[in-house]
Amino acid sequence: MVTILPSPPLSRLPPPSPPGARHTRHAGATALVCLPGAGASAGLFTGWEEDLPATIETFAYEPPGHGLRTDEEPHTDLDALLADLMDAVRPHTARPLALLGHSFGAVLAFELALRLEREGTPVSHLFPIAARAAAGRTGSPPGREPTDAELKARLRALGGTPAPVLDSDELLQLLLPAVRADFALTDTYRHRPGSRLNCPVTAFAGADDTVVAWASVQAWGACTRGRFTAHRVPGGHFFPFSHRPARADLLRTLADALDRRPDTAPDRPDTPEHG
């Protein structure tokens, strides 16, 4: 079962997985922390542990205002959101730690990794999924607040929100405050030139993704001094959540990357690898 971060009250926890879905994890298992993209919640990662070995324990971060934390105000300040994220992840930093983010969640994972490395906490690996690289993002100054209709149109264009939700004014009113805050963070994010990680980065892109260009995914190579690999796989922007075989292939590649011994990696990843 995927563990939600930060730990929600027992009354809010989802029902337990059936016995057959439970996995016994190794004591020193790598903690894989997964971050959802704009407007999404930790529930996206439900079931991911079924496709991972016992050497990896899966966690999913629930941002304020989303999912099990809908009674909290969503953050519109990046530093405040990262402080909340750091508090959620810090209890798991005594063991190997890998970070995965979908779409803008990958940028949050990158910024989290920078802060962890500055604190002296190594990150084993960063996995950006269907995400435009942090490097080169210049952001835009805050403009006028978008209308509900504009937010709805943007969600529809992204393609990850179920039609029944988009067609329900009641459900949308519950969703839009978090979406508005997340899109504001996404649109105003500015990468600090020279900010680079030391850990390996393995990026994934959907071959049919109409939201994020392949070149933008390849640009993650400029975000690290470590090994960089990019994989282009079948599917669109939400391929890990819409197609179980695609997700299984992604997680198999991820597990192989985390199992790679240090002596198999080159000193510098000057040329991205494509799988």
Side-chain angles (χ1 to χ4, degrees):
M1 182 177 177
V2 174
T3 302
I4 304 298
L5 296 177
S7 298
L10 290 177
S11 60
R12 297 189 199 169
L13 283 171
S17 302
R22 295 181 184 274
H23 291 246
T24 301
R25 298 294 171 188
H26 289 219
T30 296
L32 174 66
V33 177
C34 303
L35 282 71
S41 72
L44 272 181
F45 301 102
T46 300
W48 280 40
E49 75 284 354
E50 299 170 16
D51 294 314
L52 287 168
T55 53
I56 299 173
E57 185 173 4
T58 314
F59 298 85
Y61 173 66
E62 189 78 278
H66 300 66
L68 298 174
R69 302 178 71 183
T70 51
D71 58 345
E72 301 179 41
E73 285 294 319
H75 285 309
T76 56
D77 178 78
L78 182 63
D79 288 333
L81 180 58
L82 287 166
D84 183 84
L85 181 51
M86 284 283 284
D87 288 344
V89 170
R90 195 170 278 115
H92 306 282
T93 56
R95 55 172 163 154
L97 175 67
L99 305 175
L100 178 150
H102 177 255
S103 198
F104 190 68
V107 175
L108 295 180
F110 168 75
E111 289 289 340
L112 171 65
L114 286 175
R115 283 158 174 74
L116 289 170
E117 288 190 349
R118 283 200 294 266
E119 283 191 355
T121 300
V123 174
S124 299
H125 217 110
L126 175 69
F127 298 98
I129 311 296
R132 184 159 60 95
R137 289 197 183 211
T138 57
S140 58
R144 69 167 181 83
E145 192 169 276
T147 65
D148 288 358
E150 289 169 336
L151 289 176
K152 181 179 177 179
R154 188 166 175 179
L155 285 175
R156 195 179 296 277
L158 283 173
T161 307
V165 175
L166 291 173
D167 294 336
S168 169
D169 290 339
E170 184 177 356
L171 291 176
L172 272 178
Q173 290 309 309
L174 295 174
L175 180 65
L176 286 183
V179 170
R180 191 182 303 277
D182 289 357
F183 282 162
L185 288 172
T186 301
D187 295 342
T188 59
Y189 173 78
R190 180 182 294 270
H191 175 256
R192 294 179 301 281
S195 297
R196 300 175 73 192
L197 298 172
N198 296 313
C199 68
V201 173
T202 299
F204 296 85
D208 302 318
D209 192 341
T210 59
V211 178
V212 177
W214 171 233
S216 297
V217 175
Q218 291 175 298
W220 280 103
C223 296
T224 183
R225 301 179 186 89
R227 176 191 291 270
F228 173 67
T229 309
H231 298 275
R232 203 175 190 186
V233 301
H237 189 61
F238 293 91
F239 74 89
F241 315 109
S242 59
H243 195 233
R244 172 69 183 271
R247 185 185 79 191
D249 287 346
L250 181 156
L251 295 181
R252 189 159 39 246
T253 303
L254 179 153
D256 289 344
L258 292 179
D259 192 48
R260 178 179 287 154
R261 300 296 180 262
D263 61 358
T264 67
D267 291 334
R268 289 296 303 273
D270 294 327
T271 304
E273 302 169 4
H274 307 286

